[in-house]
Amino acid sequence: MVADLVRDGGAALAYSAIGIALIALGFVLVDVITPGNLRHQIWVDRNPNAALLAASNVLGVGIIVAMAIWTSDGSIGRALAASVVYGLIGLAVMAIAFVLLDLLTPGKLGELLVDDSAGRNPAVWVSAALHIAVALVVAAGLS
């Protein structure tokens, strides 16, 4: 019983580390594909558009990693590797979807999302929904 608890606790810590690393990578990716400094936009300028975009990315990555953990079978090493691979796939697909949405909409989507001068921009809601929808599609592919 103690051995199981130690093993399962170690697995939970490993999954958590992978999840946090992928979420941080997702934040960096959103920062790269949008103009300006995302941390500054959120914590200094208190831009709700930038915050919603980053939050949807965090939720999207969390959904993918959680589903990768939920559907994992086999050894812990294999399950951890699957979490990393599917998390990276999710990040890549979310970035590609963002770029495609930008190509299909007027103006530069990244600039609209971080511009708080006009208040909340409806484009940020579409982009946030896109992040969550893509994450759900990737997660569904794991089942």
Side-chain angles (χ1 to χ4, degrees), residues 20-111:
I20 290 169
L22 287 168
I23 288 168
L25 180 60
F27 188 89
V28 169
L29 184 63
V30 171
D31 193 14
V32 167
I33 63 176
T34 56
N37 183 310
L38 191 58
R39 288 172 298 190
H40 191 273
Q41 287 278 334
I42 295 169
W43 282 278
V44 176
D45 295 341
R46 296 177 179 242
N47 181 338
N49 295 324
L52 181 57
L53 179 64
S56 68
N57 187 271
V58 167
L59 287 170
V61 174
I63 289 167
I64 294 166
V65 172
M67 186 58 92
I69 293 166
W70 183 265
T71 61
S72 65
D73 61 357
S75 71
I76 184 69
R78 183 174 163 180
L80 291 170
S83 296
V84 170
V85 168
Y86 287 111
L88 292 173
I89 288 170
L91 287 173
V93 174
M94 282 190 272
I96 291 166
F98 182 87
V99 170
L100 288 175
L101 183 63
D102 189 23
L103 292 173
L104 297 172
T105 56
K108 295 301 290 173
L109 185 57
E111 291 173 8

